[in-house]
Amino acid sequence: MDKIDENLYRYILDNSPKITENWLALREKQSGSIYSIDSNEEIEKLLREQNTLTIKTVTSALLEDKTAFIETMEEWATLVAKSRVESDTPIYEVLEALNKVRETYWAFITDYMLMDTKITKEIIIRWSRLINHAFDQLNREFTEQYYLLTKQRLSAQQELINELGAPVIPIVDAIAVLPLIGEIDTYRAKEILNGTPSKCISKNITHLFIDLSGVSLLDTMVAQQIYQLISTLNLLGIQSTISGIRPEVAQTSIQLGLDFSQVSTHSTLKQALSKQGIKLYEKK
């Protein structure tokens, strides 16, 4: 590292607490934001620690060994992205905060350059290129990590929704109930068709009661998916019983070639379970 670069490197790190203080002073009151000036002490401490790491990361771009910057940047991006995703902080708020860090950072470099008359225009241009490029890389690395973490969270939430939307609930021995509630669109119908057989196998289910009484709209598309589900379960040796299917839907399904005559059907789940000798105990 050139001596002049080393001097700037030391100057920035030595003044890191002041840079952080000046950055925090730029905050305004933002309801519900991690960057709000009225944040609690725990968040204040978190922001100080993370901003210190931000300054260290950017300043490491002055080092001859560029691997130090890359490694620190990856650590920084993972840490900050995880923190902001967990706090539900919008990405535009983070990028705005980073821009303010850049402004504060450059204010200190400007003061340093005014104090040292030996710094030439060539050096200023080189520092500008190195430091601005470092901030740009931080923005890119952060947005990438933020995207990946958000995608993982949405995927986990979707899996939970799918599980709750078509739960296979064991009730006794190898018997279970699949209560379907709400609207069933093409996507949900496909998830039910693809996911239910594996759930039954994993839970050693031999008889599944499919209750449709809570489905808001039971059209022929849904009936076709239910028919395919029953056929799949039958191939796996799992018996099916349907409850809650309306007569007009059953008649239309038969006209489409979906023959439910081989499947035991009942108007209510209670009736279907009673036929199997399973009683539901109701509160009096």
Side-chain angles (χ1 to χ4, degrees):
M1 177 190 294
D2 293 341
K3 182 66 175 178
I4 197 163
D5 287 350
E6 183 179 353
N7 289 340
L8 177 62
Y9 178 83
R10 297 299 175 192
Y11 173 81
I12 293 296
L13 293 186
D14 289 344
N15 284 275
S16 178
K18 294 181 181 179
I19 297 174
T20 297
E21 286 297 332
N22 287 5
W23 172 67
L24 289 172
L26 295 175
R27 293 176 300 165
E28 299 176 352
K29 191 170 182 179
Q30 296 174 271
S31 179
S33 174
I34 193 173
Y35 296 111
S36 181
I37 196 169
D38 58 356
S39 299
N40 59 43
E41 292 182 4
E42 184 178 350
I43 292 178
E44 184 98 0
K45 180 182 178 182
L46 175 70
L47 291 177
R48 288 179 186 278
E49 291 174 349
Q50 292 181 349
N51 193 66
T52 299
L53 181 58
T54 305
I55 294 168
K56 175 185 175 184
T57 303
V58 173
T59 310
S60 66
L62 294 168
L63 300 173
E64 291 182 4
D65 183 9
K66 299 307 176 184
T67 58
F69 170 73
I70 298 299
E71 291 174 356
T72 311
M73 178 182 65
E74 291 175 350
E75 175 192 352
W76 172 88
T78 301
L79 177 69
V80 177
K82 184 175 183 294
S83 174
R84 299 303 177 269
V85 169
E86 290 177 349
S87 62
D88 290 322
T89 303
I91 193 169
Y92 67 85
E93 286 191 12
V94 185
L95 296 181
E96 182 181 355
L98 277 172
N99 284 335
K100 290 180 179 179
V101 174
R102 190 193 297 233
E103 292 173 10
T104 310
Y105 190 96
W106 266 111
F108 271 78
I109 294 181
T110 302
D111 290 342
Y112 177 78
M113 290 188 296
L114 292 174
M115 291 187 298
D116 191 341
T117 57
K118 296 179 181 179
I119 299 175
T120 64
K121 291 181 179 179
E122 289 75 17
I123 294 173
I124 294 173
I125 292 172
R126 180 164 58 83
W127 283 350
S128 177
R129 179 178 55 81
L130 282 172
I131 292 169
N132 284 323
H133 182 61
F135 271 108
D136 291 341
Q137 284 184 283
L138 256 64
N139 283 339
R140 187 183 66 251
E141 186 72 17
F142 167 79
T143 52
E144 181 178 347
Q145 290 298 321
Y146 189 95
Y147 168 76
L148 291 174
L149 290 171
T150 303
K151 187 177 180 180
Q152 290 174 7
R153 171 185 269 197
L154 290 175
S155 178
Q157 290 174 344
Q158 187 60 56
E159 288 180 7
L160 178 60
I161 291 171
N162 293 339
E163 177 64 30
L164 295 176
V168 174
I169 306 171
I171 52 176
V172 60
D173 296 331
I175 298 175
V177 174
L178 172 63
L180 299 177
I181 300 173
E183 182 181 352
I184 300 180
D185 56 15
T186 303
Y187 175 80
R188 186 182 175 195
K190 185 180 294 185
E191 289 296 318
I192 293 170
L193 177 62
N194 294 337
T196 302
S198 59
K199 292 178 184 177
C200 290
I201 291 175
S202 65
K203 297 178 181 180
N204 297 317
I205 303 302
T206 59
H207 193 155
L208 181 66
F209 288 81
I210 305 172
D211 182 47
L212 306 174
S213 57
V215 177
S216 56
L217 177 63
L218 191 60
D219 56 16
T220 52
M221 183 278 292
V222 177
Q224 186 172 23
Q225 294 292 331
I226 297 299
Y227 182 81
Q228 291 182 31
L229 173 60
I230 292 171
S231 299
T232 302
L233 292 173
N234 184 53
L235 290 173
L236 296 172
I238 301 171
Q239 185 180 351
S240 301
T241 297
I242 298 179
S243 62
I245 189 168
R246 298 191 301 275
E248 62 271 21
V249 176
Q251 292 173 2
T252 304
S253 299
I254 291 174
Q255 292 174 3
L256 293 173
L258 307 176
D259 187 4
F260 285 96
S261 61
Q262 302 301 316
V263 183
S264 178
T265 59
H266 300 275
S267 59
T268 66
L269 178 60
K270 181 179 179 180
Q271 184 186 74
L273 293 173
S274 296
K275 288 288 184 179
Q276 293 294 320
I278 302 172
K279 294 183 178 181
L280 295 179
Y281 294 94
E282 300 178 352
K283 293 183 178 180
K284 295 182 179 180

